[in-house]
Amino acid sequence: MQVKIKKLVENAVVPKYSKPGDAGLDLTATSKTREGKNLVYGTGLSIEIPEGYVGLLFPRSSLTNYDLSLGNHVGVIDSGYRGELL
């Protein structure tokens, strides 16, 4: 499946597999802002998921080394969403 990726900022990092056999691609944060009690990390990327599919964001097991987590522990990217991945 082809998923189009657009860099919104120069320092954005195109997602890639960390090692062979990985189930998902790694995202890299390029910005961090505070919104109330939350920290919001931007990737500087937008993607075009084909209609009929969904993108899923899950925290990696290595995040247990940090005092961070996704607010609801999963992120859903609808096929029609074209904004920055946050």
Side-chain angles (χ1 to χ4, degrees), residues 7-76:
K7 290 174 98 174
L8 303 173
V9 296
E10 187 177 327
N11 66 331
V13 178
V14 175
K16 63 181 184 240
Y17 293 101
S18 190
K19 53 189 175 302
D22 282 355
L25 303 159
D26 290 343
L27 286 172
T28 301
T30 58
S31 66
K32 178 175 77 171
T33 58
R34 180 168 290 284
E35 292 184 9
K37 295 180 180 181
N38 299 313
L39 289 175
V40 178
Y41 291 87
T43 64
L45 299 169
S46 70
I47 60 174
E48 186 177 314
I49 296 172
E51 188 174 331
Y53 292 88
V54 64
L56 299 173
L57 295 174
F58 289 95
R60 291 194 54 123
S61 59
S62 61
L63 282 183
T64 60
N65 298 328
Y66 303 93
D67 190 22
L68 302 169
S69 67
L70 291 172
N72 58 359
H73 303 287
V74 66
V76 173

